[in-house]
Amino acid sequence: MTAAVAIVGGGPAGMALALALHRQGVAAEIVDARARGAASADKRILALSHGARQILAWLGVWASIPHTPIATIHVSHQGGLGRVKIAAEDEGVPALGYVLAAGDLAASLDAALARTDIVFREHTRVDTRPDAPLTVWAEGTVDDPAAVVRDYGQHAVICTATTDHAHGGRAWERFTPAGPVAALPWNKDYAVVLTCAAHEAGDIASRDDATFLVLLQGRFGGRVRFTSVGPRLVFPLGLRYRKSAVAARQAWIGNAAQTLHPVAGQGFNLALRDIFELARVLADATDPGAPELLSRYDAARKLDRNGAIGFTDTLVRLFSNGNPLLRHARGAGLLALDLLPPARHFVARRMMFGARGW
């Protein structure tokens, strides 16, 4: 390993970090056990914030990624009054966020890498820390035995769905006792994430289209009428995070640092903010693994990282239950957000920009 930073993992997080470091004058190499380009086959749909778009534009990749803007977000909960609508127009931004395919994001990042001299070592498995001043782990999930782990007992069933009316750029987040249901504008259709109990996921995903549509419509409510659905995929959900994302000459980013529930779409947005800050702290560093630099990065990210983790965890635990007392509290909270523009603005900025939006 000849580069100053060894990045283990050639997925979107690893590639984005390599490009960010390159912009800041820090030489990095990517090492991946898979073939180069494997991440381009990722079928997941991502919701990226306006702040994430800014970072990807800074990396020079945004213009080549197909995407659908989110003009408004409508949040409600099943079985009670109260809802909130957040609009890009009210926040002074062209869109609150953007929906895109993870595979398209990976392909765009890889194409940008190809225009640089960054080395990508494919088919290379790493069992021990590479001989580099700094190793950044950007692949897999949290493997720290001291990690904080919470099993929500939930899986996500994801698919595309067609409706009887154009989506108009509106995204929906519907909280139910069985878990949240999200419908994100994606091309002319919606990308749907339906959360369910882990033991029910296989049965729900394997239902025929008509039966699945009945379940989806029942969970979602009548604000949108779904007319057809595509094939379903299932992903386990939970919370795992390292208490610190750095150690001696090592750092962790993306899912290797924290794996979040997809509610509110914070996962990769948080990863991009981590990447941006790490590259900023290491700019032109002669020794990127120096303890003082890693400590500075860890301290700079603590507020935003803990805030995103806590926000996501609180949403899941507060809204994914049928407690009647909490149901009224949830309704009051949503109503308050809708009626109080400063509070709504605070939440919107937090979702778009993380702690720097405060």
Side-chain angles (χ1 to χ4, degrees):
M1 181 64 63
T2 58
V5 180
I7 301 171
V8 182
M15 290 190 287
L17 177 61
L19 289 170
L21 291 173
H22 182 76
R23 284 188 59 89
Q24 300 287 34
V26 180
E29 292 184 3
I30 297 174
V31 184
D32 198 302
R34 302 171 299 175
R36 182 168 184 171
S40 300
D42 193 336
K43 297 183 181 300
R44 292 174 301 160
I45 301 298
L46 301 176
L48 297 189
S49 67
H50 179 67
R53 170 192 170 157
Q54 292 177 322
I55 294 173
L56 292 172
W58 176 70
L59 294 177
V61 302
W62 177 252
S64 61
I65 304 173
H67 56 269
T68 303
I70 298 174
T72 59
I73 299 175
H74 187 284
V75 183
S76 63
H77 70 132
Q78 190 180 61
L81 299 175
R83 62 103 174 106
V84 63
K85 186 177 77 170
I86 301 173
E89 182 180 16
D90 295 338
E91 302 306 322
V93 293
L96 295 170
Y98 303 85
V99 183
L100 51 91
D104 289 341
L105 169 63
S108 183
L109 289 165
D110 200 2
L113 281 175
R115 297 190 291 268
T116 71
D117 58 357
I118 298 171
V119 174
F120 193 123
R121 302 186 187 279
E122 60 183 336
H123 302 299
T124 303
R125 183 172 297 278
V126 175
D127 297 316
T128 60
R129 188 168 70 83
D131 183 19
L134 174 64
T135 297
V136 179
W137 305 93
E139 197 64 75
T141 57
V142 178
D143 61 358
D144 180 7
V148 176
V149 179
R150 179 165 289 122
D151 182 3
Y152 298 120
Q154 297 178 338
H155 279 40
V157 178
I158 66 172
C159 64
T160 57
T162 304
T163 59
D164 60 351
H165 288 88
H167 54 64
R170 174 168 290 191
W172 304 84
E173 185 87 56
R174 176 79 163 163
F175 291 99
T176 80
V181 184
L184 308 173
W186 170 232
N187 294 326
K188 294 182 179 180
D189 298 324
Y190 276 104
V192 171
V193 181
L194 184 146
T195 306
C196 60
H199 68 275
E200 296 178 336
D203 169 66
I204 289 174
S206 63
R207 295 181 186 185
D208 62 77
D209 289 358
T211 307
F212 181 80
L213 269 174
V214 171
L215 181 144
L216 173 61
Q217 196 72 66
R219 288 274 303 276
F220 190 86
R223 288 186 172 94
V224 170
R225 181 173 176 270
F226 298 101
T227 57
S228 65
V229 291
R232 272 77 72 190
L233 297 174
V234 177
F235 293 94
L237 304 177
L239 171 66
R240 297 179 65 91
Y241 66 92
R242 300 178 63 92
K243 295 178 181 178
S244 174
V246 301
R249 296 201 172 275
Q250 298 178 87
W252 288 261
I253 61 170
N255 284 339
Q258 62 268 324
T259 303
L260 309 183
H261 193 288
V263 65
Q266 292 296 296
F268 195 68
N269 292 295
L270 177 60
L272 282 174
R273 297 196 298 268
D274 289 342
I275 287 164
F276 181 83
E277 182 65 20
L278 182 58
R280 189 191 69 80
V281 169
L282 300 184
D284 298 315
T286 55
D287 180 8
E292 61 272 18
L293 291 180
L294 296 183
S295 295
R296 188 189 310 165
Y297 162 72
D298 198 37
R301 294 301 302 143
K302 192 174 296 294
L303 178 63
D304 186 23
R305 187 167 177 260
N306 289 344
I309 291 169
F311 176 63
T312 300
D313 183 47
T314 299
L315 281 179
V316 175
R317 294 200 284 166
L318 180 62
F319 282 90
S320 294
N321 65 76
N323 186 307
L325 295 177
L326 287 178
R327 182 171 66 246
H328 294 306
R330 292 191 295 260
L334 290 174
L335 182 61
L337 278 180
D338 200 48
L339 295 177
L340 298 173
R344 189 171 65 248
H345 179 68
F346 173 86
V347 172
R349 299 287 296 181
R350 178 65 182 79
M351 293 179 66
M352 286 190 291
F353 302 110
R356 69 188 177 102
W358 297 4

